[in-house]
Amino acid sequence: MKSETSGAGDRAIDIERLESRVITDVEVALAPSLRQVINATGVILHTNLGRAPLSTEAAARIAQVAVSYSNLEYDLETGERGRRDVHTSRMLAHLVSAEAAIIVNNNAAAVFLALNTLSKGAETIVSRGELIEIGDGFRIPDIMAESGAIVREVGTTNRTGIGDYERAITDRTRLLLRVHPSNFRMTGFTERPSLEELIALGNRSQIPVFEDLGSGCLADLSANGVCEPVTAASCAAGASAVSFSGDKLLGGPQAGIIAGKKEIIERIRRNPLFRALRVDKLTIAALEITLRAYLRGAADEIPALRMIRLEAGAIAQRAREFVAQLQPLIANDVTLRIIAGFSVIGGGSTPDQQIPTNLITIASTRHSAGQLEARLRGPGIATPVIARIEDHRLILDLRTVMPAQESELTSALASALC
């Protein structure tokens, strides 16, 4: 039989445990769900991890604008209401060689808005081979249908000629659409008219040409092994309008940018849906700073571009220094190696292009690669680490790890590899 004293003690212990559990549950419930992570995958524009990270300058401008009032839609010179476009439109137009530019909340919205404005209730001609899915089930045909545009497919999956477009034009045709296949490549027996051919046909038929460029490359990155169409080339060729993302190869915040001829862009801007799809002051603040970096020729201030331009040799040196610091902190059964490998752009961009890098491989006799990967993002890690697994090995690519995060990565690995 238990004594009354021991029973009271058990109840006290139970109450303490209950209080501890309640406190823990409350802390978990109130903790932010959106957290900073360390991207060690080598995927630069990782869609699941927020795509392009912003520069410290852009983050500082967001903080400055967020905590105070701003002249978002106020003309300081006249003292009257202004347009929020003014903070970015001129820079965008200049950088892409266009007459005008506007921004909405993402590129899917940009495509939707352009189609709704230019071709609602009428036909838009598009190659069958360009009716792509852009990710997470969002398909160009579905966006076109929701916009009110009537899809007129021409050509075949692998071959579409300029004659296919020309023969499809009727008095119901209002737009010629060209879609850049950002997330796949088609090779072999293929044909696709050049943008110049399509624009020439549009000029002869007095029909606008709209090009969805997807990733939106402002700088020529071919020297770094990235071959994507530069937006300015499309505008200079005479496209009526182009659209692209802000948080992919541009390296800025999530946004959809529409640029082109002034008359076309103004028509799109006057669409009532533009207000529903417009961006807020924080996006404008971040985009403005990002664009100014381009204007100053300071591409390395933009994290995504800096990562793309990193040489494999520089990453190898970082990897050697990192391994030297980590080795004394981990168990003897863990093997660290540095091997040649590849990084990728990601975010639905350049699917068949890789960037040479150097990788850190980690193997343990006590934990499988899958177990290590799970431990690195588990509850015991202050800043979760997202890595990748190849050939049953845990892989880290320092290309996508911010230098300021290396100490946190070391701590996380030391904890996971204990």
Side-chain angles (χ1 to χ4, degrees):
M1 178 182 290
K2 292 184 178 180
S3 68
E4 292 184 8
T5 303
S6 65
D10 289 343
R11 285 194 297 273
I13 292 173
D14 289 343
I15 291 173
E16 288 178 2
R17 287 175 179 170
L18 178 60
E19 288 178 347
S20 176
R21 182 170 178 177
V22 168
I23 291 171
T24 300
D25 288 349
V26 170
E27 288 176 346
V28 170
L30 295 179
S33 175
L34 184 62
R35 299 174 60 189
Q36 182 186 64
V37 302
I38 297 174
N39 176 12
T41 66
V43 181
I44 298 170
L45 302 174
H46 201 306
T47 298
N48 298 343
L49 303 184
R51 290 189 181 159
L54 295 176
S55 67
T56 54
E57 294 81 5
R61 181 55 61 89
I62 287 175
Q64 184 182 53
V65 169
V67 299
S68 64
Y69 294 105
S70 65
N71 62 326
L72 177 64
E73 290 187 358
Y74 185 83
D75 189 322
L76 292 172
E77 185 175 338
T78 65
E80 298 176 352
R81 180 169 183 164
R83 287 183 169 187
R84 63 180 61 194
D85 310 78
V86 71
H87 307 289
T88 54
S89 58
R90 291 176 184 171
M91 285 188 290
L92 276 169
H94 174 75
L95 287 167
V96 302
S97 300
E99 295 176 3
I102 55 175
I103 55 174
V104 289
N105 55 21
N106 62 22
N107 191 47
V111 173
F112 173 87
L113 184 62
L115 290 170
N116 180 266
T117 303
L118 303 175
S119 190
K120 182 180 180 180
E123 291 183 353
T124 291
I125 299 176
V126 59
S127 169
R128 182 170 287 112
E130 296 175 5
L131 294 175
I132 63 174
E133 181 175 317
I134 60 176
D136 197 27
F138 289 96
R139 298 177 172 181
I140 290 292
D142 296 338
I143 293 174
M144 293 180 71
E146 290 297 326
S147 74
I150 299 170
V151 181
R152 180 71 185 275
E153 300 178 30
V154 296
T156 63
T157 301
N158 59 319
R159 289 176 65 84
T160 303
I162 193 65
D164 293 312
Y165 289 89
E166 192 163 14
R167 286 188 294 273
I169 292 175
T170 69
D171 58 1
R172 296 194 65 195
T173 305
R174 294 293 179 272
L175 190 65
L176 303 180
L177 173 63
R178 178 182 171 90
V179 181
H180 175 57
S182 298
N183 57 1
F184 79 99
R185 289 291 182 269
M186 190 182 299
T187 60
F189 188 56
T190 63
E191 180 184 0
R192 187 189 192 208
S194 67
L195 177 61
E196 288 76 11
E197 289 179 291
L198 206 57
I199 290 170
L201 174 60
N203 290 338
R204 292 197 302 272
S205 308
Q206 296 185 323
I207 298 172
V209 174
F210 170 48
E211 183 174 33
D212 170 19
L213 285 168
S215 295
C217 195
L218 294 194
D220 185 355
L221 299 173
S222 57
N224 306 105
V226 179
C227 297
E228 278 283 293
V230 178
T231 306
S234 295
C235 293
S240 304
V242 299
S243 72
F244 54 96
S245 295
D247 58 348
K248 292 187 179 181
L249 288 173
L250 190 151
Q254 177 182 301
I257 297 161
I258 312 172
K261 298 185 182 301
K262 185 175 182 180
E263 184 270 331
I264 295 292
I265 300 304
E266 192 56 34
R267 280 177 60 189
I268 296 172
R269 194 189 187 287
R270 288 197 302 267
N271 188 321
L273 287 172
F274 175 69
R275 184 177 179 86
L277 300 173
R278 69 182 182 177
V279 297
D280 73 339
K281 60 184 179 182
L282 304 185
T283 299
I284 290 173
L287 184 59
E288 181 183 14
I289 292 299
T290 305
L291 296 176
R292 289 190 185 282
Y294 277 99
L295 289 175
R296 291 186 289 104
D300 281 348
E301 291 181 7
I302 302 170
L305 294 190
R306 184 170 64 245
M307 291 175 189
I308 290 171
R309 291 150 64 104
L310 276 174
E311 298 289 340
I315 297 174
Q317 180 61 32
R318 278 183 68 190
R320 286 191 291 268
E321 293 172 357
F322 183 83
V323 167
Q325 292 178 359
L326 177 63
Q327 192 75 67
L329 305 176
I330 59 177
N332 293 330
D333 69 314
V334 178
T335 302
L336 304 176
R337 289 195 175 93
I338 299 172
I339 63 171
F342 296 95
S343 310
V344 296
I345 301 297
S349 307
T350 63
D352 59 349
Q353 300 174 47
Q354 298 176 318
I355 306 173
T357 191
N358 282 276
L359 307 170
I360 300 172
T361 71
I362 302 176
S364 167
T365 58
R366 288 179 297 123
H367 304 293
S368 68
Q371 289 171 332
L372 289 176
E373 187 273 337
R375 286 166 70 93
L376 281 172
R377 54 181 168 80
I381 304 298
T383 303
V385 176
I386 313 301
R388 73 182 200 246
I389 297 174
E390 289 181 5
D391 299 325
H392 306 291
R393 299 173 299 180
L394 187 72
I395 302 290
L396 304 177
D397 187 345
L398 294 184
R399 181 185 295 277
T400 51
V401 176
M402 306 293 183
Q405 293 179 319
E406 285 193 16
S407 61
E408 291 179 275
L409 178 58
T410 300
S411 298
L413 286 167
S415 176
L417 295 171
C418 62

